[in-house]
Amino acid sequence: QTALMGGSRKMHFDGIDDNVDCGTASIRTAAMTYSAWIKHDGTTGQALSHAITNFRVNFAFDSAVLAVSSLSGSSSNTQHVSGAVVASTWNHYCRVIADPTDGTNAGNKFYINGSLQSGGSGQAVHGTNKLMFGTNTDGSEDFNGLIDDISIYSAAFSLAEVQELYNDGIPLDAT
């Protein structure tokens, strides 16, 4: 696996106007894994939003519910997870995209703290070619919380690899 991008510096977002705009990040491979440690405050906001033509991935919080969506072509896959999401606590979130170019969402998986999550399907929307942290790609839904160790890999990680990412360490709470 190749880390297409990664960073291990903790970022703090105030939920008002803080974000990281990575610009037109055309990161797209036959398979991808998104990984991040996130500590949210329990309010609505998007921690990660990556949109490319006919493809989108979001880590969006709505109070204590996390909606993780991916869209490929006209097929969307949104998972709403509430039981495993705890505000004000560091959690590891990992979205595995089997193949964003195949026009389906077959094989896409989502993990919290190394555990596979179940979920349903819903409608996701296309966006502009952007990669953003702390907000949606259109600048809406500002995130309030901390994000650490964000990585995007050019491979669909297995359960064992996701668990290895999770077990490699929980970010220290220096606040």
Side-chain angles (χ1 to χ4, degrees):
Q1 302 93 351
T2 302
L4 298 172
M5 65 125 335
S8 61
R9 298 192 66 103
K10 189 182 316 180
M11 296 178 284
H12 180 263
F13 299 92
D14 64 9
I16 300 169
D17 59 3
D18 294 344
N19 63 69
V20 175
D21 184 343
C22 298
T24 56
S26 297
I27 300 168
R28 186 170 171 182
T29 65
M32 298 168 69
T33 298
Y34 293 78
S35 172
W37 285 92
I38 302 172
K39 182 178 181 180
H40 74 98
D41 75 342
T43 60
T44 299
Q46 294 210 18
L48 178 149
S49 185
H50 185 201
I52 303 172
T53 305
N54 295 324
F55 174 73
R56 184 179 188 100
V57 171
N58 291 326
F59 287 7
F61 293 91
D62 183 6
S63 299
V65 177
L66 173 66
V68 175
S69 59
S70 59
L71 173 69
S72 181
S74 60
S75 177
S76 66
N77 178 277
T78 302
Q79 294 175 284
H80 299 275
V81 182
S82 59
V85 179
V86 179
S88 301
T89 302
W90 281 108
N91 290 286
H92 181 252
Y93 300 95
C94 194
R95 182 64 161 174
V96 176
I97 309 297
D99 185 353
T101 63
D102 73 356
T104 73
N105 281 296
N108 293 350
K109 295 181 173 78
F110 178 62
Y111 301 86
I112 298 177
N113 298 329
S115 297
L116 180 63
Q117 304 298 306
S118 62
S121 62
Q123 184 60 43
V125 296
H126 293 283
T128 58
N129 293 346
K130 272 191 152 179
L131 175 60
M132 301 284 291
F133 303 119
T135 191
N136 196 352
T137 54
D138 65 5
S140 66
E141 300 183 45
D142 290 317
F143 176 73
N144 193 354
L146 301 166
I147 305 174
D148 197 3
D149 201 19
I150 300 171
S151 297
I152 302 174
Y153 299 91
S154 63
F157 279 20
S158 66
L159 171 62
E161 291 168 317
V162 169
Q163 289 175 336
E164 184 178 339
L165 281 175
Y166 170 67
N167 290 323
D168 274 350
I170 298 172
L172 297 174
D173 186 1
T175 58

